[in-house]
Amino acid sequence: MKWKRIRGKYRKSLHIRLILILLAVGIAPLAVIGRLLVYSSRENHIRSRMTELQYQSVAVVSELEERDYLSNMSQPVLTAEIDQLARFYRGRIILVDSDYRIRKDTYHLAEGKYNISEEVLSCFGGSNTARYDEEGQYLELSLPVSGKDGTVKGVMVITASMEFLTSLQDQLEDQRRTAVIIGGLLVAVASFFLSELFVRPVKKVARAIDSSSQDSVGSDIQLEDCAETVQIAQAYNRMLARLRTLDESRQQFVSNVSHELKTPITSIRVLADSLIGQEEVPVELYREFMSDISAEIDRESQIIDDLLAMVRLDKANAELNISGVNINEMMESILKRLRPLAMKRNVELVLESFRPVQADADEVKLNLAVTNLVENAIKYNVDNGWVRVSLNADHQFFYIKVADSGIGIPEKEWDHIFERFYRVDKARSRATGGTGLGLAITKNIISLHHGAVRVHSAEGEGTTFTVRIPLTYRRQEGEV
Ligand code: ADP
């Protein structure tokens, strides 16, 4: 088990992998080149020996021809020359006449016998042959011996031993092996240091990340070794920056939540304390304070409800209950529900439906999103103002527009109003029962439907929210 773990660890090690690759890349050519050198040196030897043999044999053959040796063999000088040539090449010379009879054999074994070999026949045909016998390790050369009239009178077959090649080859093999071992050792040492050189930047990155993560928020890392490590460092730093922003916004959120939850409790406490502090409080005052306390409790519970809605809408946990929704009917029901609120301030509330719209949506959530927009349009309006809601669609999206004649939102606030707990005018928001979470919830719901919401406003003139949502809902990767 332990051995397996160690083996697994080393198999995955970049260091070991690099060493093995460098070793393979370094030693394989060494071995191949060594073998090629041994082979080519052997071939060269055979070739040069053959040339030399041919050169000397041709010289002897021309002497044989000149002195017509085959007709008159009692020429001791020539006989000695033939014997010497055979000895020199540690081989054998055979002279065959036109009847294929062996007239001379330096081994004196075949004289008087016949030789009708392929080589002899082709020599009588006028061409000489040369070959190397791998098994017997000898060279064989057959040359035609012509008479004075130019006709082929006989054939000289000469063989030359190449046995010395074996020992030469063994010697070369030994040298090759030594060269591969020494080269291999050098390559091994070089690959160890080279791989160390390659792995060093990676180790440096790991160390830098390690020491950076000791810090709770993480500190940026700086690496200048090579372009790749700089890239890793930059990517890591970008990720850290995102994590820090996330951490900050989480902290901000927690502090906002605590503050929001504390405000009604503080009011309740002040109201309760002032009742306790007074003696003989009239019943009317009790009633008034108690109804204030009840309103604060309502507020607290509203904040908690909105918070819970927010948490549930958190993208990672959100589950949409998608179905085909008649958006026209949904809009009508929202406006019907909010009409009493509008009437309180004599705000005119109109719905303009340009066409029937049927879309894929989570009706409950979308209803909440639009309700928030229309409710805001009424809340942040002026007395006797108007709210115009319109519904339209093209082949891909449907559009909901909520326009009001209210107090408007300064341009610099447009980006912030969708943040959690953000209010342009805190006092007014609180007075109207706002928690600062409505638009954050709305935006969340619209994003879950893969839609978008935009705001346009002019201070003192009014505000228009435009929502665009795809008619067909397509689940994206990672969504539940
Ligand atoms: P709240 O609960 O305070 O209404 P929201 O998230 O719904 O919180 O809105 C955030 C802030 O945006 C509000 O406090 C208000 O200042 C501003 N706001 C939203 N809608 C409108 C609107 N139609 N007209 C003017 N101001 C608006």
Side-chain angles (χ1 to χ4, degrees):
M1 200 61 190
K2 197 177 166 196
W3 164 240
K4 249 190 183 173
R5 216 178 314 132
I6 294 173
R7 213 178 54 179
K9 186 182 156 198
Y10 281 111
R11 199 182 309 142
K12 281 184 188 155
S13 150
L14 191 57
H15 209 333
I16 302 289
R17 278 187 205 175
L18 272 172
I19 289 181
L20 290 179
I21 291 171
L22 290 172
L23 271 178
V25 171
I27 292 178
L30 218 86
V32 172
I33 290 171
R35 223 165 246 297
L36 275 178
L37 280 178
V38 170
Y39 177 77
S40 74
S41 116
R42 198 184 90 107
E43 291 295 299
N44 278 343
H45 268 93
I46 294 173
R47 221 174 298 130
S48 68
R49 192 74 165 170
M50 183 62 99
T51 320
E52 194 186 305
L53 183 68
Q54 257 166 345
Y55 182 72
Q56 300 214 13
S57 306
V58 167
V60 170
V61 164
S62 59
E63 244 180 288
L64 295 182
E65 286 171 344
E66 211 167 284
R67 305 219 181 141
D68 202 9
Y69 185 74
L70 277 171
S71 310
N72 174 20
M73 290 184 72
S74 45
Q75 298 183 53
V77 179
L78 259 183
T79 309
E81 211 172 300
I82 292 168
D83 285 335
Q84 199 191 351
L85 184 64
R87 259 198 314 277
F88 179 75
Y89 282 105
R90 302 180 72 209
R92 182 181 187 180
I93 294 178
I94 287 172
L95 281 174
V96 181
D97 68 10
S98 52
D99 297 331
Y100 304 108
R101 230 182 46 194
I102 296 172
R103 299 286 302 282
K104 171 151 181 71
D105 175 7
T106 52
Y107 279 8
H108 306 292
L109 295 173
E111 277 159 359
K113 292 183 182 161
Y114 290 90
N115 182 342
I116 323 179
S117 66
E118 212 178 297
E119 287 82 10
V120 170
L121 285 175
S122 79
C123 275
F124 278 113
S127 50
N128 34 1
T129 65
R131 70 184 179 93
Y132 174 64
D133 189 304
E134 189 81 51
E135 223 173 282
Q137 293 184 330
Y138 62 81
L139 286 173
E140 189 187 274
L141 192 65
S142 309
L143 296 165
V145 183
S146 309
K148 292 253 189 281
D149 55 357
T151 55
V152 180
K153 280 241 170 120
V155 174
M156 182 175 98
V157 182
I158 173 165
T159 55
S161 165
M162 292 295 283
E163 268 168 10
F164 71 95
L165 254 190
T166 320
S167 64
L168 187 83
Q169 205 168 331
D170 284 350
Q171 224 174 316
L172 281 175
E173 269 299 324
D174 279 349
Q175 285 171 358
R176 186 188 71 89
R177 226 166 282 136
T178 321
V180 168
I181 291 171
I182 295 176
L185 281 175
L186 287 177
V187 169
V189 174
S191 36
F192 179 80
F193 286 110
L194 269 178
S195 68
E196 181 64 34
L197 208 72
F198 286 140
V199 172
R200 200 176 295 156
V202 180
K203 283 186 179 163
K204 238 180 178 176
V205 171
R207 266 201 306 274
I209 291 178
D210 243 6
S211 64
S212 138
S213 56
Q214 308 278 315
D215 202 341
S216 65
V217 278
S219 49
D220 282 1
I221 56 173
Q222 298 299 340
L223 292 166
E224 306 293 333
D225 286 69
C226 50
E228 285 77 6
T229 51
V230 170
Q231 246 175 352
I232 296 177
Q234 283 169 349
Y236 177 78
N237 292 343
R238 276 198 298 274
M239 188 195 71
L240 264 191
R242 274 204 300 276
L243 285 179
R244 276 191 213 117
T245 323
L246 204 71
D247 197 50
E248 270 165 31
S249 78
R250 199 165 288 151
Q251 278 178 9
Q252 182 72 39
F253 181 63
V254 171
S255 96
N256 283 347
V257 169
S258 324
H259 178 78
E260 291 301 323
L261 290 176
K262 246 182 118 179
T263 317
I265 290 178
T266 316
S267 309
I268 292 170
R269 185 179 198 129
V270 171
L271 289 166
D273 280 353
S274 66
L275 279 183
I276 293 164
Q278 289 177 50
E279 273 171 31
E280 300 202 3
V281 185
V283 179
E284 293 74 41
L285 199 65
Y286 250 115
R287 197 161 278 142
E288 194 192 324
F289 275 31
M290 284 317 261
S291 81
D292 286 349
I293 287 174
S294 167
E296 289 300 332
I297 289 171
D298 279 349
R299 227 183 110 61
E300 183 87 14
S301 120
Q302 179 66 46
I303 295 171
I304 291 169
D305 284 350
D306 280 358
L307 272 173
L308 286 177
M310 281 265 358
V311 172
R312 268 189 235 115
L313 284 171
D314 201 318
K315 204 153 187 174
N317 309 317
E319 241 179 83
L320 285 187
N321 195 2
I322 299 285
S323 62
V325 179
N326 183 330
I327 307 291
N328 306 69
E329 275 178 17
M330 184 190 85
M331 297 300 293
E332 274 161 28
S333 83
I334 292 172
L335 263 72
K336 193 173 164 201
R337 202 158 18 91
L338 291 176
R339 195 142 275 132
L341 185 72
M343 271 158 59
K344 267 193 201 162
R345 302 185 58 197
N346 199 23
V347 170
E348 184 195 15
L349 189 55
V350 250
L351 171 66
E352 227 178 333
S353 289
F354 288 96
R355 64 190 71 225
V357 179
Q358 179 83 17
D360 293 344
D362 182 323
E363 187 166 7
V364 178
K365 294 198 174 81
L366 190 62
N367 194 310
L368 175 63
V370 180
T371 303
N372 283 345
L373 291 179
V374 182
E375 207 177 317
N376 278 351
I378 301 169
K379 277 191 329 194
Y380 301 104
N381 216 317
V382 288
D383 288 342
N384 310 315
W386 50 260
V387 173
R388 284 184 199 130
V389 183
S390 74
L391 171 66
N392 206 346
D394 55 23
H395 63 289
Q396 221 182 339
F397 300 98
F398 67 92
Y399 305 87
I400 297 171
K401 214 181 246 184
V402 182
D404 65 53
S405 59
I407 54 168
I409 305 164
E411 193 167 348
K412 63 176 178 10
E413 312 277 359
W414 291 0
D415 284 340
H416 298 295
I417 52 170
F418 295 102
E419 290 167 13
R420 298 152 170 187
F421 296 116
Y422 194 87
R423 292 125 160 175
V424 179
D425 177 352
K426 282 203 169 40
R428 180 165 182 145
S429 162
R430 214 161 266 149
T432 52
T435 59
L437 288 171
L439 283 182
I441 292 174
T442 296
K443 185 166 183 173
N444 233 337
I445 294 174
I446 292 168
S447 301
L448 284 174
H449 284 82
H450 308 142
V453 55
R454 269 188 308 158
V455 62
H456 189 86
S457 181
E459 256 181 294
E461 285 176 28
T463 307
T464 305
F465 282 91
T466 316
V467 176
R468 188 193 73 177
I469 294 176
L471 289 166
T472 355
Y473 178 79
R474 279 197 191 86
R475 230 166 262 284
Q476 285 174 0
E477 231 173 279
E479 280 178 345
V480 268

